Amino acid sequence: MTASFRRSSLLLMVLLAGSLQAAPAETPHQAECAVWQRELSFARSVADHDAAAFAEHLHPQAVFGVSGKPTRGREAITREWAGLIDGSALILRWYPAIVTLGGDGRTAYSSGPALYEDPKTGAARLGRFGSVWQHGDDGIWRVLFDDGITPQPADAAAVQRFHDGQRATCPAA
């Protein structure tokens, strides 16, 4: 190796090391807030009756209803949820109350309340959801697993508490 080549190689390594250090890694709290916002965006896709946006939030091999008879794959889930997405079968609203980042930094769990309203009768039920999110190589968080508990009838006061509990931003660290 020539001295010039060694100097050039050394300079290139120093520059690369500096550029890697210039972009600080996301903290666990920042990642949890990113999942929080992604969960809100996912819920908004249903509230806006946007099937394409709903599907974009799903991992291609997502599994929904994992505690019962699971539905596997983005396309199958989107088909199964069509009546929820368009609001004809049920009006579904939810938001995160908890988001926790897994040790690998690429997996997160979110959970919170879910409000189910019958569009014909207005009857309301409350349940809870739990979702596992995976951070893709493209930098986007997508739902990998999703499930919930069976919703129970809810009176007007419980519905109001649901609405009052929603936060637009993730909790402070």
Side-chain angles (χ1 to χ4, degrees):
M1 266 196 226
T2 68
S4 176
F5 180 76
R6 280 191 296 253
R7 279 193 302 274
S8 296
S9 296
L10 181 61
L11 179 60
L12 181 60
M13 288 189 315
V14 168
L15 289 172
L16 284 174
S19 70
L20 293 175
Q21 293 171 357
E26 192 174 51
T27 68
H29 183 257
Q30 289 169 326
E32 289 168 351
C33 286
V35 174
W36 185 283
Q37 291 304 318
R38 191 76 171 142
E39 186 73 68
L40 290 177
S41 172
F42 188 36
R44 200 167 32 258
S45 73
V46 172
D48 292 345
H49 311 296
D50 188 340
F54 174 87
E56 202 284 321
H57 285 82
L58 303 178
H59 186 281
Q61 287 82 43
V63 181
F64 273 37
V66 297
S67 63
K69 184 176 180 270
T71 303
R72 298 176 186 278
R74 178 185 287 156
E75 291 77 21
I77 294 165
T78 303
R79 270 194 313 277
E80 185 175 276
W81 275 58
L84 294 166
I85 297 167
D86 69 18
S88 63
L90 203 57
I91 298 169
L92 174 60
R93 295 182 180 90
W94 75 92
Y95 55 83
I98 298 167
V99 173
T100 304
L101 187 67
D104 65 357
R106 297 177 52 88
T107 308
Y109 174 76
S110 64
S111 180
L115 175 64
Y116 304 77
E117 294 176 294
D118 185 317
K120 296 174 186 80
T121 67
R125 297 177 294 138
L126 281 170
R128 289 195 68 80
F129 74 90
S131 298
V132 174
W133 292 80
Q134 184 179 62
H135 193 252
D137 292 337
D138 60 0
I140 297 174
W141 287 95
R142 290 189 179 84
V143 179
L144 185 59
F145 295 104
D146 184 81
D147 208 353
I149 63 168
T150 304
Q152 301 300 313
D155 61 16
V159 170
Q160 187 60 50
R161 284 191 302 277
F162 168 84
H163 290 296
D164 292 345
Q166 184 167 359
R167 299 173 60 129
T169 58
C170 70

